[in-house]
Amino acid sequence: MIRARKKIKPIALSDVTIIDDAKLKKAITAASLGNAMEWFDFGVYGFVAYALGKVFFPDASPGVQMIAALATFSVPFLIRPLGGLFFGMLGDKYGRQRILSITIVIMSLSTFGIGLIPGYETIGVWAPVLLLVCKMAQGFSVGGEYTGASIFVAEYSPDRRRGFMGSWLDFGSIAGFVLGAGLVVLISAIVGQDHFMAWGWRLPFFLALPLGIIGLYLRNALEETPAFQQHVDKLEQGDRQGLQEGPKISFKEIATQHWRSLLACIGLVIATNVTYYMLLTYMPSYLSHNLHYSEDHGVLIIIAIMIGMLFVQPVMGLLSDRFGRRPFVICGSIALLVLAIPAFKLINSDVIGLIFAGLLILAVILNAFTGVMASSLPAMFPTHIRYSALASAFNISILIAGLTPTLAAWLVETSGNLMMPAWYLMVIAVIGLITGLTMKETANLPLKGATPAASDIQEAKEILKEHHDNIEQKIEEIDAEIAELQAKRTKLVQQHPHINE
């Protein structure tokens, strides 16, 4: 039986999605605030790890206290893949907006709960147990937070501005760190070190509740993304292909059909987040515990570095829209491989200016990764599986990256070698370089499974013309290949006595 070939409708100007600028700004604000809250907790936790070690693990030596506190930070990463799978499937089924509202509630309540836990001297072993429970609740919610937020921004952004818009998501991450670290310094300075150790460390965690309420309000006011709404409309119209593209797809199918994208996603997330956690979570403890700077002194240096990163972050995203995402991943990885040792030699120099220079080198390298990650990851998967696939790959990678503070502290403690974090980063740089060389360029292209998106009608016309020009070029290339094959065929026919043209 001969099946009728389905007629493909030419892409017209009406098929290009015009993004409402006001809605785009609201989407970026709401997504970035939730991400800022996630990293606010990470920042506070990293900067008060020394205090948490003494409050929740008082009988251990100072070195073991630090490792135990950082281990409590790392263990929740084991549950993040479960949260990623859970929220990923729900996000592909019910939409991005609803899931982001749920994750911010769980995240704010669990962060707030850390500030309420009594110390070890009050309730004994239940203190570290409750701390771990709160951190695991955080890990479960965060499993769907960053990926959902990056998808939300990517699906709301015009194709030509996706890098710039996506860069504001990690701008929120860095801003959350700055807020958390600045709050730690401010509270410590106001109440004094003794009061800070007794109760002052709890105050930053309490701020998570009002931040969560604001984030929930902003996210509930948003509409669903245009890309996901297109997918829903296709399903409602009873399109067979749309029905086949439903959310019921296993991770095994994702791994077999999209394995290149999965590997690229894993490599990019590992390179970015290991550098992230090394610089922004582990370094405050490294400066205070290993290099014997006062906690406030080390925190002030990191805060200054992060403020500088805030200015660089959107510039990286803007440039990636012009030059592509791959160059930043490749250059950042090469820089990390070559400059990790020099950067840590500067950090260990005992000279403030040189310490700042060493940290600044790592910060600029980190900006090269964070400037493109939020725009690169969502572009690797089609709409109908984007949340599930990205959340799975992202959180598998986080299992490795989340161990960074604990492994770095353990390596330095056991070896006595202060350069171990640099060697750690060099290994990660190789992963990043391989990823950058093998990943596909996605800048200025529509998301997979979505129609082109533009900022205005003039840009839509330009995108449509580029699309048609690209089709013409591909047709010419195919025609050239056909002509070459026809010439080869003619030559072979001429060599055979029984085949005539």
Side-chain angles (χ1 to χ4, degrees), residues 88-374:
M89 289 187 293
L90 292 180
D92 282 334
K93 186 173 183 179
Y94 298 110
R96 292 45 166 137
Q97 185 265 346
R98 294 181 184 179
I99 301 307
L100 287 176
S101 297
I102 295 172
T103 57
I104 200 169
V105 169
I106 299 174
M107 194 162 53
S108 60
L109 289 177
S110 55
T111 303
F112 178 77
I114 292 176
L116 298 176
I117 303 172
Y120 187 92
E121 294 180 354
T122 304
I123 60 173
V125 72
W126 284 106
V129 169
L130 290 175
L131 175 63
L132 187 59
V133 169
C134 286
K135 293 300 294 180
M136 292 183 76
Q138 281 181 339
F140 189 75
S141 63
V142 168
E145 171 61 33
Y146 181 85
T147 50
S150 64
I151 289 170
F152 199 81
V153 172
E155 291 183 347
Y156 251 113
S157 299
D159 297 337
R160 292 184 176 181
R161 300 170 62 198
R162 188 166 292 116
F164 179 63
M165 297 304 170
S167 67
W168 290 100
L169 193 61
D170 282 291
F171 180 95
S173 303
I174 302 167
F177 254 99
V178 171
L179 177 61
L183 204 57
V184 169
V185 173
L186 180 63
I187 293 172
S188 179
I190 292 175
V191 305
Q193 189 66 19
D194 292 339
H195 289 299
F196 184 82
M197 292 298 300
W199 51 268
W201 63 268
R202 300 178 183 275
L203 299 181
F205 293 104
F206 291 153
L207 186 62
L209 191 59
L211 285 177
I213 293 172
I214 296 172
L216 179 62
Y217 171 78
L218 291 174
R219 289 184 175 185
N220 276 335
L222 291 172
E223 296 179 7
E224 190 51 78
T225 67
F228 186 80
Q229 192 57 52
Q230 288 172 12
H231 177 60
V232 171
D233 293 342
K234 184 192 293 186
L235 293 175
E236 289 178 348
Q237 291 170 5
D239 182 82
R240 291 185 179 180
Q241 182 181 356
L243 289 172
Q244 291 173 356
E245 293 174 351
K248 295 180 180 179
I249 182 170
S250 67
F251 180 75
K252 181 180 178 181
E253 291 176 276
I254 295 173
T256 53
Q257 297 176 17
H258 303 277
W259 62 272
R260 289 182 181 274
S261 296
L262 282 174
L263 290 178
C265 175
I266 290 171
L268 181 55
V269 173
I270 288 175
T272 303
N273 282 277
V274 167
T275 311
Y276 217 134
Y277 294 139
M278 186 70 78
L279 177 63
L280 301 183
T281 301
Y282 174 66
M283 287 311 298
S285 301
Y286 182 82
L287 291 172
S288 61
H289 178 69
N290 298 108
L291 302 185
H292 309 296
Y293 284 91
S294 69
E295 284 80 5
D296 289 349
H297 199 174
V299 167
L300 286 173
I301 295 175
I302 298 294
I303 289 175
I305 292 293
M306 288 190 293
I307 291 174
M309 289 179 67
L310 287 174
F311 292 97
V312 177
Q313 178 70 14
V315 174
M316 292 288 191
L318 184 66
L319 292 175
S320 76
D321 283 328
R322 181 173 182 180
F323 300 107
R325 323 291 190 222
R326 292 179 68 241
F328 287 88
V329 179
I330 293 171
C331 292
S333 299
I334 292 174
L336 190 61
L337 183 63
V338 173
L339 299 177
I341 293 288
F344 270 85
K345 284 188 178 295
L346 292 173
I347 293 169
N348 284 275
S349 66
D350 204 27
V351 179
I352 293 296
L354 296 180
I355 293 172
F356 186 85
L359 293 171
L360 185 61
I361 289 171
L362 296 179
V364 173
I365 293 171
L366 177 57
N367 271 132
F369 292 133
T370 58
V372 302
M373 186 169 74

